[in-house]
């Protein structure tokens, strides 16, 4: 499950680990979002800890301080829960479609 962003290979697990270090983040799943020119773009779905607040920009700034620019999620979706597949596991593949990020 590697994201191919214009030839750059990005590991979603690496991004998950970095974003989980954010104090407001309870759950995260990084996934590929279709992109016209690059093929795929990095995106992340996040569930915040109860009582915590963080904006998409907060999360992106946090990631930018710890990751190379091409690895920083271009889109961060803050959810109350991350959609799960039929097996009950969080699914990276197809998440962009489920969240309406495919246009």
């Amino acid at each position: 499950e590697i994201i191919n962003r214009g030839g750059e290979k990005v590991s979603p697990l690496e991004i998950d680990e970095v974003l989980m270090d954010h104090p407001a983040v309870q759950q995260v799943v990084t996934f590929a979002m279709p992109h016209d020119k690059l093929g795929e773009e990095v995106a992340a779905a996040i569930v915040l800890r109860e009582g915590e607040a963080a904006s998409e920009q907060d999360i992106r700034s946090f990631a930018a301080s710890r990751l190379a620019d091409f690895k920083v999620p271009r889109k961060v979706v803050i959810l109350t829960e991350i959609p799960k597949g039929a097996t009950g596991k969080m699914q990276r593949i197809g998440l962009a479609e489920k969240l309406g990020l495919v246009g």
Side-chain angles (χ1 to χ4, degrees):
E1 295 181 14
I2 294 290
I3 299 168
N4 186 348
R5 183 183 182 272
E8 299 277 9
K9 305 289 190 253
V10 181
S11 165
L13 291 173
E14 178 188 358
I15 313 305
D16 287 356
E17 286 177 15
V18 168
L19 295 180
M20 282 301 295
D21 284 341
H22 190 289
V25 173
Q26 179 180 326
Q27 248 186 332
V28 62
V29 60
T30 303
F31 60 97
M33 182 174 72
H35 187 279
D36 291 347
K37 293 185 177 67
L38 299 172
E40 293 178 331
E41 186 57 272
V42 181
I46 288 180
V47 176
L48 297 175
R49 293 183 189 282
E50 196 168 324
E52 294 286 341
S55 68
E56 176 176 4
Q57 189 54 52
D58 293 336
I59 301 294
R60 292 189 68 238
S61 296
F62 181 85
S65 69
R66 290 163 171 77
L67 293 165
D69 185 61
F70 72 91
K71 294 181 179 182
V72 175
R74 293 299 177 259
K75 179 76 180 160
V76 174
V77 184
I78 297 173
L79 305 169
T80 53
E81 72 174 355
I82 293 173
K84 302 200 172 30
T87 61
K89 291 183 180 172
M90 292 187 290
Q91 291 186 307
R92 294 178 201 285
I93 296 165
L95 196 53
E97 289 85 357
K98 276 189 185 151
L99 297 175
L101 301 176
V102 179

